Amino acid sequence: MQTITIRAFPILAIFFTLLAIIFPQWFTPFSAWILLLLGVIMFTMGMTLHVSDFLRVLKMPIVIAIGVGMQFLLMPLLGWGLAWIFQLPALLAAGLILVGSCPGGTASNVICFLSQGNVALSVTLTAVSTLLAFLATPFLTWFYVGQSVDVPVLNMLLSILKIVLFPVLAGVVINTYFGHHLERVKPVLPILSVLTIVFVIAIVTALNANNLMQLTSVVVIAVLLHNLLGLAAGYFIARFIGYDLTTARTLAIEVGMQNSGLGTALAVKYFGAAAALPGALFSIWHNVSGAILAQYWIRKKQNL
């Protein structure tokens, strides 16, 4: 069932993306649901974990430091390099760099879950990078763009609690104490995660439908390469250091998939609508590329 779910994910993501572009009015009324839906996704992640999973991860401070380091050192640098190579206009360059300066996105935890990666490590990396983002994101954006960005720290911390920590902890507690009673439910969790994230993609796309129509091929290529280079670098750097395949895949997903929703919101507020285009496209594309990668890894694992 999980393999079928993974295969369906990129198809559903593309289909609902196109549907949201053509009929944005179908999805925009649900914009207020995004936080709730992300919370549902994180709860299903927690339902696959035990307390022992997090205790093992806390014994891996080096891999956490490497993952967060690649997140905040590599991705902004890649954004700046691609903006320079493609000679993007100032606002589009700022938007691309801002996305690269953001922490890991909650979608990375879904993709890690679907690809049978280390979900506890993925959730921990997302939480740590998000906690550090209130300093790292504005500083890195200022460093590369030449302007400071005022990140709403309190709102961001509240979002972490609502979207990531509380739902995951609730899922972990339920799975730890009542998991043996829920074995029939657990196979449905990947399907629930996929349907929920696809709906979130559709809402984000619908909210940015007008802006997406203004994208040029150069911007599209830059955004796609930003994500793909992040995925590749996260994987191969981890393998070069000597980590196992599961850890390497987890780092690849965590480094390559950004909190582009945060990047889009900050771009609109501090740079203007044009700067939000890279983040809007990244929001769609990284889910598609991540789902395809998860399908490839699962198929490869089954053939071993």
Side-chain angles (χ1 to χ4, degrees):
M1 182 180 293
Q2 182 162 324
T3 302
I4 296 174
T5 303
I6 295 170
R7 290 177 180 176
F9 191 7
I11 298 172
L12 288 172
I14 294 172
F15 174 76
F16 276 90
T17 294
L18 295 174
L19 199 63
I21 292 174
I22 299 171
F23 303 106
Q25 68 275 13
W26 291 2
F27 301 98
T28 50
F30 299 99
S31 59
W33 290 26
I34 292 178
L35 293 181
L36 174 62
L37 293 172
L38 291 174
V40 170
I41 294 168
M42 298 312 300
F43 176 75
T44 63
M45 300 300 100
M47 284 286 291
T48 69
L49 302 172
H50 291 83
V51 174
S52 58
D53 294 318
F54 287 95
L55 294 177
R56 283 197 298 270
V57 169
L58 292 177
K59 296 177 181 178
M60 305 167 63
I62 296 177
V63 70
I64 293 173
I66 291 172
V68 174
M70 284 194 289
Q71 177 78 55
F72 286 126
L73 296 177
L74 183 63
M75 291 304 284
L77 180 61
L78 285 175
W80 174 83
L82 290 167
W84 179 78
I85 290 171
F86 290 104
Q87 293 295 294
L88 296 182
L91 287 178
L92 291 174
L96 188 65
I97 293 168
L98 180 53
V99 169
S101 302
C102 284
T106 52
S108 65
N109 308 135
V110 180
I111 297 300
C112 184
F113 172 46
L114 295 174
S115 60
Q116 297 181 359
N118 189 331
V119 178
L121 175 59
S122 179
V123 171
T124 302
L125 285 169
T126 298
V128 172
S129 66
T130 304
L131 286 169
L132 294 175
F134 76 97
L135 289 176
T137 299
F139 172 77
L140 289 168
T141 305
W142 168 82
F143 180 79
Y144 285 104
V145 178
Q147 302 179 51
S148 62
V149 177
D150 183 19
V151 178
V153 179
L154 180 58
N155 290 338
M156 205 169 168
L157 291 175
L158 290 174
S159 294
I160 297 166
L161 294 174
K162 293 177 182 177
I163 299 172
V164 179
L165 297 182
F166 285 163
V168 168
L169 289 176
V172 170
V173 170
I174 291 175
N175 189 39
T176 300
Y177 292 100
F178 307 102
H180 56 286
H181 296 300
L182 303 172
E183 293 301 324
R184 293 183 180 180
V185 176
K186 290 182 180 180
V188 182
L189 296 180
I191 299 176
L192 177 62
S193 296
V194 165
L195 293 178
T196 306
I197 196 64
V198 164
F199 193 44
V200 170
I201 293 171
I203 297 171
V204 171
T205 302
L207 293 172
N208 293 279
N210 293 331
N211 290 335
L212 290 172
M213 301 306 292
Q214 303 172 22
L215 288 171
T216 64
S217 58
V218 173
V219 179
V220 172
I221 294 172
V223 171
L224 267 57
L225 284 176
H226 195 194
N227 166 246
L228 294 176
L229 289 173
L231 292 169
Y235 179 85
F236 287 110
I237 290 174
R239 292 295 288 162
F240 177 78
I241 294 173
Y243 286 109
D244 59 85
L245 287 173
T246 300
T247 302
R249 291 172 180 176
T250 303
L251 288 175
I253 293 168
E254 199 62 34
V255 173
M257 299 186 69
Q258 304 294 94
N259 190 338
S260 46
L262 174 64
T264 302
L266 291 174
V268 169
K269 185 171 183 178
Y270 297 106
F271 295 108
L277 293 177
L281 179 59
F282 204 107
S283 296
I284 301 164
W285 167 250
H286 76 160
N287 288 290
V288 175
S289 66
I292 293 172
L293 192 58
Q295 179 182 336
Y296 168 75
W297 279 336
I298 290 295
R299 185 177 297 175
K300 186 176 181 179
K301 186 175 181 179
Q302 291 175 339
N303 292 334
L304 292 178

